[in-house]
Amino acid sequence: QVQVVEAGGGLVQAGGSLRLSCVASGIIFRIYAMGWYRQAPGKQRELVAGITGGGSTNYADSVKGRFTISRDNAKNTVYLQMDSLKPEDTAVYYCNAAAFSRDFWGQGTQVTVSS
């Protein structure tokens, strides 16, 4: 049974930092591309950052230079370090694991940035 579980969301003031983590079990983690997505109220879900099994990364333009995605294959975990947070970063953040036309989602974790 595949499980994807996020943690680390919360309330932070603008300019602050948060670190999200996501543990994926029931898959061969190292071969899965992992991604962080977010969805704000009334908006579509969007890709924030992604990392391949080999460690290549990509970021949405809106978070480049502020967010860093990383993974620890030994712990089946992907992280999203979020610095210099802005109120517009407020959203539910979801973790995704994708490989071989299969993808799995976590339940999401709320990030709220106050001005």
Side-chain angles (χ1 to χ4, degrees), residues 1 10 43 56 69 94 110:
Q1 181 181 359
K43 295 188 176 181
S56 297
I69 189 170
Y94 297 91
Q110 176 70 46

Side-chain angles (χ1 to χ4, degrees), residues 34-76:
M34 301 299 297
W36 285 99
Y37 292 72
R38 67 187 181 189
Q39 187 166 19
K43 295 188 176 181
Q44 289 190 329
R45 191 173 297 190
E46 63 174 355
L47 176 67
V48 175
I51 185 167
T52 67
S56 297
T57 60
N58 64 288
Y59 297 91
D61 288 343
S62 59
V63 307
K64 281 181 181 177
R66 299 188 298 121
F67 290 11
T68 304
I69 189 170
S70 61
R71 65 191 295 159
D72 184 338
N73 289 341
K75 296 182 178 180
N76 280 25

Side-chain angles (χ1 to χ4, degrees), residues 12-50:
V12 64
Q13 288 188 332
S17 298
L18 280 176
R19 188 193 197 202
L20 306 182
S21 62
C22 167
V23 179
S25 58
I27 59 173
I28 304 174
F29 182 81
R30 68 182 184 276
I31 67 173
Y32 273 72
M34 301 299 297
W36 285 99
Y37 292 72
R38 67 187 181 189
Q39 187 166 19
K43 295 188 176 181
Q44 289 190 329
R45 191 173 297 190
E46 63 174 355
L47 176 67
V48 175

Side-chain angles (χ1 to χ4, degrees), residues 84-100:
S84 302
L85 282 160
K86 303 175 181 180
E88 51 263 43
D89 294 318
T90 295
V92 178
Y93 283 70
Y94 297 91
C95 180
N96 174 267
F100 306 115

